[in-house]
Every structure is written in structure tokens, then in C-alpha cells.
Amino acid sequence: MAHVTCWFVCHHDLSTMDKNVLRKIIRDRKHGYTPQQLQQLSDDITNALLAHPRIQAAHTILLYASMADEVKTGRLIKLLLEQGKTILLPVVVDDHHMKICHYSHDSEMTTSSYGIQEPQEEAFTRYDEIDVVIVPGLAFDLQNHRLGRGKGYYDHFLSETPNIYKIGICFPFQIVDLVPTDDHDIPMDEVVYEDRKH
């Protein structure tokens, strides 16, 4: 399991913190990093994932096309495709749900209202064939709880696919001591945030 460092949020009691307050704290932290620094951190996470036994053994992986402020996944997707992995990407359907679509180098892509690249393919519904899902988040804690953007896209999907191995990924400064959770929030099996060789 990936080592997780606890980044304490100073001057706040996270046991009672509102989720939106934590979202703002994390967004403020991101502003302290240059695009080049975030790219290097993303490369470190990519290296850790490429070396991860679960990823190496997987045939079908659900990933995500990264937004500007997320761990960048372009290089990871490219290298996994070159290894012959089947790559799936989410496509937003409505305010709370997403569908899963196959992605290849030949996929026709469109840009969603969130600025996310989405493949224009038929929905992939053979969820039992997905070996690993790699999940972004605004924050994660030591119990592998995840704070998303508030729409519940991943929580809805993961509640329907409880047997998929779930790897959360984030930048190191997105790890906190405690993420506020609700009953419907789905924890990860582990969180990867850096290349442990560094």
C-alpha cells in the first residue's frame, strides 16, 4: 500500500469542518505551485502507478482525462495503451451521473462543459471486467476517504461497482488528517500521491 503523509490543516478542526471549507483550503494550496511543479508531481505519480502491481496485472483500467488542476493523466494513459491495456474514461451524463466509455488513440473526442476531454463511444457496461479504477479527488485522508467536487459522480458509480479495486490519486498537499464524510461517500482501497523512490 502506498505510504500516505498527513498534511495537517492548521487552525481548523477537521472533525467538524464543512466540505466546502476544505475544498477552498485545498484550492488555495494549489495556487502555491507552478504548472511546472504540478507537472513534475504528476510525473512522479505516473511512475508510481506504472510500477504498481495492481496496474501491472490489470487488463482493463478506468482512468480519467484530467482537468487543469488535477493530477495529469495524459502520459499515463498513453503508456498504458502502449502496454496493451484496455482504457476506459468517464463521460458526464447529467448533474450527478456519468457513463463509462472505451478510449483508444483513434477515439473521437469532444470537450465537456467542465473542459474535460470525453470519448464519443458507446457506453461500456461490462463493469465486472474493470480491474482497477483510478479516482481523482480534491482531498484524501489517512483512512482513504475522498473529498470530491460535490456532484457525486464517482460515489454513484462506485456504489454500483463495489468489487472494483479503487486507487485514489492526488498531489501530496491534498492529503489531510481527516476528510468530512457522509454515509454515501465511498472510500478508496488506497491512495497514491507520489513516487516512493523519491
Side-chain angles (χ1 to χ4, degrees):
M1 178 175 290
H3 171 69
V4 175
T5 296
C6 181
W7 285 63
F8 288 94
V9 178
C10 297
H11 311 304
H12 291 281
D13 178 3
L14 286 181
S15 64
T16 59
M17 180 180 289
D18 179 86
K19 289 183 177 182
N20 287 328
V21 173
L22 182 53
R23 289 185 179 105
K24 183 181 185 305
I25 289 171
I26 297 300
R27 290 190 181 105
D28 289 344
R29 286 182 179 180
K30 287 182 182 179
H31 294 155
Y33 292 79
T34 66
Q36 293 76 19
Q37 289 172 320
L38 294 179
Q39 182 62 61
Q40 182 57 62
L41 291 171
S42 295
D43 288 342
D44 292 344
I45 294 163
T46 292
N47 294 338
L49 290 170
L50 290 171
H52 195 294
R54 288 274 184 172
I55 300 298
Q56 292 181 342
H59 297 286
T60 302
I61 302 171
L62 172 57
L63 254 156
Y64 67 93
S66 49
M67 299 174 67
D69 63 346
E70 292 177 327
V71 174
K72 303 180 189 312
T73 57
R75 174 171 165 256
L76 178 62
I77 291 171
K78 176 179 180 293
L79 293 174
L80 291 175
L81 282 173
E82 290 175 356
Q83 293 177 11
K85 309 287 189 184
T86 296
I87 298 300
L88 308 173
L89 296 178
V91 174
V92 171
V93 174
D94 56 36
D95 283 346
H96 299 287
H97 297 87
M98 62 187 188
K99 67 178 180 178
I100 307 304
C101 293
H102 182 266
Y103 171 76
S104 71
H105 292 305
D106 298 325
S107 294
E108 179 182 349
M109 305 292 284
T110 61
T111 303
S112 75
S113 58
Y114 295 101
I116 304 170
Q117 290 293 297
E118 297 178 339
Q120 299 305 293
E121 307 280 352
E122 291 186 5
F124 181 95
T125 58
R126 302 187 303 276
Y127 293 160
D128 60 330
E129 295 181 12
I130 303 175
D131 299 300
V132 177
V133 54
I134 295 175
V135 184
L138 283 180
F140 294 89
D141 67 16
L142 297 179
Q143 291 73 44
N144 299 328
H145 295 128
R146 169 183 173 270
L147 177 69
R149 296 178 185 271
K151 293 291 189 177
Y153 293 117
Y154 279 96
D155 289 319
H156 279 106
F157 172 75
L158 295 173
S159 68
E160 299 174 356
T161 55
N163 296 325
I164 298 177
Y165 193 82
K166 300 170 286 294
I167 300 178
I169 64 172
C170 66
F171 298 116
F173 57 81
Q174 292 173 278
I175 300 294
V176 299
D177 51 346
L178 184 65
V179 166
T181 60
D182 297 312
D183 291 341
H184 62 268
D185 293 327
I186 306 295
M188 302 293 99
D189 292 298
E190 65 175 293
V191 179
V192 172
Y193 72 95
E194 67 178 356
D195 184 347
R196 286 180 292 169
K197 297 191 294 295
H198 286 194

